[in-house]
Amino acid sequence: GPSDSYLSGVITFPASDLSKWQAILSPQLSGTTVPEFHGVLSPPAWWPAASAFEGCEFYAPKKLTGRPSGFLAVSPSAKAIYFSTF
């Protein structure tokens, strides 16, 4: 039968690479995106607090993860990409 499969992670990058990531992931999504952890277990200790997503730019997760559902957030201030997909 069917099974659930989740993929979540954090990628950090040098500040000088921000524009490269933005170009790769474009276009930026408009509207409201809810950055919630997807999975059957509780978020792991390394998953950021909700406040980490303030000021993030949101993109479709498919270009990075190959999955259409979930979210991908780029944080210019933290120099990090957060994603959680299903």
Side-chain angles (χ1 to χ4, degrees), residues 2 8 12 25 50 52 55 63 65 73 79:
S8 299
T12 57
L25 298 170
K63 286 185 180 179
T65 66
K79 299 172 284 305

Side-chain angles (χ1 to χ4, degrees), residues 24-59:
I24 290 168
L25 298 170
S26 286
Q28 188 172 342
L29 299 177
S30 59
T32 303
T33 301
V34 178
E36 57 188 0
F37 182 81
H38 297 285
V40 294
L41 303 173
S42 298
W46 52 262
W47 189 251
S51 61
F53 298 104
E54 293 175 15
C56 282
E57 302 167 353
F58 291 91
Y59 298 86

Side-chain angles (χ1 to χ4, degrees), residues 65-76:
T65 66
R67 298 171 182 221
S69 300
F71 80 91
L72 186 146
V74 175
S75 173

